[in-house]
Amino acid sequence: MELCDLPAHELAARIRNREVSAVEALDSALARVRAVDGDPGRLEGFREDGDRVHAFITLTEERARARAISIDEKIGKGEDNGPLVGVPFTAKDIFTVKGVLATAASRILSNFVAPYTATPIQRLEAAGAVMLGKVNLDEFTYGSSNESSAYQPAPRNPWDTSRVPGGSSGGSAAAVAAGEGAFSLGTDTSGSIRQPAAFCGVVGLKPTYGRVSRYGLIAFGSSLDCPGPLARNVRDAALMMNAIAGADPRDATAAAVPVPDYTADLEKGVKGLRIGLSPDYGQLTFFNHDTGQLDARPLPKEISEAVARAADLFSNLGAEIVENVSMPHTRYGIPTYFVISRVEASSNLHRYDGVKYGYRTQEKVANLRELYRKTRAEGFGPQPKLRILMGMYVSAVQYAEQYYQRALRVRSLIRSDFDAAFDPNGKHRLDALLTATTPTTAFPMGQLYGDSVLMQYADQLTVTANHAGVPAISIPAGLSSERLPIGIQFIGPDFSEAKLFQISRAYEEATETESWRAEKPKVLATV
Amino acid sequence: MPSEISKELFEHLVELAALGLKPEEAEYLHNELNKQLNVIEELASISLDDSISAASHGVPYSASIRPPLREDQIIPSGISTEILDQTPETEAGYIVVPKIPHETLE
């Protein structure tokens, strides 16, 4: 096994014990990038190789090498370098890192060199991790496939490069699955960590809103955005959370809740825990363009079977499975999201104007208004434009009551579903709700792109946790008959990340010897 | 009857948003907006009584988890040069923009 395929916790232990150096770990990860990634994304003149992952936008090799050398020197002197010492990782290119391009996968930030570093990145580096580079995403995180990135070629799924890696943290999930870094820092606004994690067969956690600081995260939906980990196993995700969670004087929404050691309860099992199943998550809603109506249909069989198998497994391990938990407002997750996220996105996108930073039109303009118009027309792709227009419409004075205010109230109802399910004195008293993560496995590139409604419905099982603010994790739960990863999701009450890790680890441990665990993404067949 | 964003309203939104659009781009965006609006209309069917308040966040920020306010202190960022380096056009530390259009009010 190559160093780049080792779990982060094992690699850090070997570096700490001086069995291998941080430079060797870095070289192994870089060799993997060269072997599988192909050309990085760019705005023009890109070269696509259909067999490559194309996860990266910016490789920060020199910066990484300088850090790895300095780590090795410190280890040589016997200095402690943190729990993630020398572990190479990637960051979704929506976080700022001082002196490094921060593009948000948009032309409008294509020349933006960040003057400061995002808190979660600064904390990962303080824990000893070494950033390999910035990876691709949907433009400004607006999508579920990565195809909307202004930086092409878009990332591909390492399990089948004709398929999408999911999104918007698609570059992150693809890189982690392919061994390009042991873990990645992503963000989740409606499922953008969990959906790509499910599609690429990795672990992805959306923490509780406010658990991880958003300082240095380029904003999408400010009441929904959560930075969080993508990793190849549960322990690594927990270690990442140990590093990034916690209050931050630079983010007033970062909650003042003490950070536990997320690895402490990992091996405690699920005996006595109450895990719920809801029929409202077993049914998918699809918008039928022919009739203009929402149609319902059951989850694909392979996905619902993965959920049922997990429930059986937990039952055998001593958990109590609580069936028929009613979550009646689940189906309103997407319509509510179409309103709230658009209002927040359009507000956040007004700052890109070609004046203060980022792209400015090269055309001659008569006045400032024309500068704005030309800059934004050239700088934004279709997805940001759509969000700006919808956000302005549903928050306009004459429509706000009908749409925006109503959506904020429906969010209360979605939250009340979870409050009832997790209420320690309630009917169900759940520790976690078990659901599928996605309505399908990874879909072919080009299948949904362009249809903004169908694309949004890819998030229907994940978006409710963002509305409610509660934490949710996706973990690998097998492969479909097409050898594509299937993800299952656990959703828990506020700040219950440690328990979600505990449940996830129990599943991981109990399925360790299953044959699908030995299968690797196709792109690794030739390395 | 589902709402629809008319061509006139669409053009008004485009102007407010300071977006110049090519005709085929405008057609695509206008069409997608109305498809999305169709989905949003689903919200109209939910009965909401007065006891249901708007949630600005999912997580209730109770006093016990709300971070304390910071002291009102000036902390120099030390990065003003780096920030101004990102500006397309500056002059003597000021940001330069083209002429600002204005109308004389009656």
Side-chain angles (χ1 to χ4, degrees):
Chain A
M1 188 185 266
E2 306 279 337
L3 290 178
C4 62
D5 293 315
L6 285 180
H9 60 269
E10 218 176 301
L11 183 58
R14 290 201 195 179
I15 293 170
R16 201 174 297 119
N17 299 336
R18 304 192 203 181
E19 285 169 48
V20 295
S21 68
V23 169
E24 285 168 327
L26 174 66
D27 283 335
S28 172
L30 288 170
R32 178 59 58 81
V33 173
R34 278 190 287 275
V36 303
D37 209 63
D39 278 5
R42 57 183 66 159
L43 293 172
E44 265 103 18
F46 63 86
R47 286 187 313 183
E48 183 156 25
D49 178 339
D51 296 326
R52 305 290 166 144
V53 181
H54 296 299
F56 279 82
I57 289 180
T58 305
L59 195 63
T60 52
E61 184 170 344
E62 259 177 59
R63 184 179 181 279
R65 191 165 299 281
R67 285 188 53 81
I69 290 169
S70 131
I71 285 169
D72 284 334
E73 281 170 7
K74 284 185 184 161
I75 289 176
K77 288 188 220 151
E79 289 173 31
D80 184 28
N81 278 278
L84 295 170
V85 66
V87 177
F89 77 101
T90 59
K92 186 178 184 178
D93 200 11
I94 196 79
F95 291 97
T96 59
V97 178
K98 190 178 169 95
V100 178
L101 270 179
T103 70
S106 180
R107 181 180 294 272
I108 212 155
L109 282 175
S110 53
N111 58 356
F112 177 61
V113 178
Y116 60 91
T117 298
T119 296
I121 302 250
Q122 178 263 315
R123 288 179 177 174
L124 286 170
E125 293 191 326
V130 175
M131 190 182 79
L132 278 178
K134 313 279 288 293
V135 285
N136 216 332
L137 61 148
D138 283 288
E139 184 173 359
F140 276 103
T141 80
Y142 303 158
S144 305
S145 72
N146 274 210
E147 292 160 287
S148 70
S149 174
Y151 285 77
Q152 295 288 326
R156 291 166 173 270
N157 194 312
W159 290 85
D160 176 349
T161 51
S162 72
R163 291 172 186 267
V164 303
S168 62
S169 309
S172 290
V176 170
E180 305 174 84
F183 55 77
S184 189
L185 181 69
T187 62
D188 191 313
T189 307
S190 64
S192 281
I193 287 174
R194 292 161 287 159
Q195 185 254 20
F199 278 11
C200 294
V202 301
V203 173
L205 171 81
K206 179 204 96 70
T208 311
Y209 181 82
R211 177 72 291 186
V212 179
S213 167
R214 290 179 293 120
Y215 181 73
L217 160 62
I218 297 168
F220 167 10
S222 303
S223 77
L224 302 157
D225 293 340
C226 294
L230 294 105
R232 284 193 295 270
N233 62 76
V234 176
R235 180 171 292 275
D236 288 354
L239 276 173
M240 263 186 93
M241 279 299 285
N242 278 357
I244 64 179
D248 177 5
R250 289 177 158 141
D251 176 2
T253 61
V257 175
V259 179
D261 175 0
Y262 289 107
T263 64
D265 294 342
L266 281 181
E267 309 296 339
K268 278 197 173 164
V270 290
K271 201 160 189 227
L273 295 186
R274 295 173 63 83
I275 296 173
L277 293 170
S278 171
D280 298 305
Y281 281 82
Q283 175 155 287
L284 301 172
T285 308
F286 279 95
F287 188 74
N288 184 332
H289 286 311
D290 296 332
T291 61
Q293 302 291 318
L294 290 171
D295 289 346
R297 67 170 183 233
L299 272 172
K301 199 156 167 268
E302 290 188 306
I303 294 180
S304 59
E305 280 173 359
V307 174
R309 242 189 352 259
D312 285 347
L313 182 147
F314 286 128
S315 178
N316 292 337
L317 293 173
E320 191 152 344
I321 303 300
V322 183
E323 294 192 63
N324 287 317
V325 178
S326 173
M327 306 290 286
H329 300 101
T330 305
R331 62 175 300 189
Y332 302 119
I334 294 295
T336 304
Y337 185 74
F338 262 131
V339 177
I340 295 175
S341 71
R342 271 48 174 182
V343 172
E344 295 183 0
S346 79
S347 169
N348 281 321
L349 287 174
H350 285 316
R351 72 189 63 164
Y352 304 105
D353 57 7
V355 170
K356 304 177 292 295
Y357 50 84
Y359 175 82
R360 177 187 277 198
T361 183
Q362 296 303 302
E363 294 208 19
K364 244 187 141 67
V365 293
N367 57 46
L368 183 62
R369 182 83 190 158
E370 209 182 312
L371 174 80
Y372 291 160
R373 210 182 288 126
K374 284 207 155 78
T375 296
R376 288 160 66 85
E378 295 164 16
F380 286 133
Q383 296 310 317
K385 285 174 179 163
L386 254 180
R387 278 156 180 80
I388 292 168
L389 293 169
M390 183 55 96
M392 292 182 75
Y393 175 68
V394 295
S395 61
V397 166
Q398 58 276 50
Y399 305 111
E401 195 58 39
Q402 183 185 349
Y403 295 119
Y404 184 50
Q405 290 304 322
R406 178 163 269 267
L408 292 178
R409 295 171 76 202
V410 177
R411 168 147 76 182
S412 291
L413 293 176
I414 294 171
R415 169 80 191 187
S416 69
D417 285 354
F418 288 102
D419 283 343
F422 299 138
D423 181 353
N425 303 309
K427 182 175 165 200
H428 301 306
R429 305 181 304 284
L430 298 185
D431 291 291
L433 186 71
L434 162 62
T435 78
T437 310
T438 55
T440 63
T441 50
F443 43 85
M445 296 186 85
Q447 190 183 64
L448 296 188
Y449 186 58
D451 189 325
S452 63
V453 170
L454 284 182
M455 189 65 88
Q456 193 68 77
Y457 272 95
D459 293 339
Q460 62 183 294
L461 303 175
T462 46
V463 69
T464 47
N466 298 81
H467 287 309
V470 294
I473 191 168
S474 177
I475 61 167
L479 296 172
S480 71
S481 51
E482 295 176 294
R483 313 327 286 163
L484 295 170
I486 295 171
I488 54 172
Q489 174 178 238
F490 305 107
I491 312 174
D494 294 346
F495 304 104
S496 67
E497 286 85 354
K499 194 152 281 173
L500 296 183
F501 283 136
Q502 181 185 333
I503 296 168
S504 301
R505 174 61 196 144
Y507 181 89
E508 190 178 67
E509 211 240 319
T511 56
E512 223 148 37
T513 55
E514 290 185 7
S515 60
W516 61 272
R517 290 268 183 206
E519 291 188 43
K520 296 286 167 234
K522 256 193 231 154
V523 291
L524 299 184
T526 52
V527 297
Chain B
M1 186 61 196
S3 311
E4 197 178 71
I5 298 173
S6 67
K7 194 160 188 296
E8 293 68 37
L9 179 55
F10 178 77
E11 281 165 3
H12 176 61
L13 288 170
V14 171
E15 174 60 24
L16 283 180
L19 294 171
L21 298 181
K22 296 187 191 92
E24 66 276 11
E25 196 182 14
E27 193 187 329
Y28 166 75
L29 295 174
H30 188 187
N31 187 34
E32 289 300 305
L33 277 185
N34 276 323
K35 275 162 57 183
Q36 293 183 8
L37 199 57
N38 228 325
V39 174
I40 293 171
E41 288 300 324
E42 168 97 348
L43 297 178
S45 67
I46 308 170
S47 82
L48 291 171
D49 67 44
D50 290 345
S51 69
I52 300 159
S53 56
S56 57
H57 286 110
V59 176
Y61 273 77
S62 59
S64 63
I65 71 163
R66 211 175 302 141
L69 293 175
R70 287 180 300 187
E71 292 295 314
D72 190 9
Q73 281 175 339
I74 295 170
I75 305 169
S77 72
I79 56 169
S80 51
T81 312
E82 284 95 328
I83 290 171
L84 279 173
D85 280 349
Q86 294 303 309
T87 304
E89 197 180 351
T90 56
E91 198 180 305
Y94 290 91
I95 295 172
V96 179
V97 295
K99 188 172 166 233
I100 299 173
H102 63 276
E103 290 166 24
T104 309
L105 295 175
E106 303 268 322

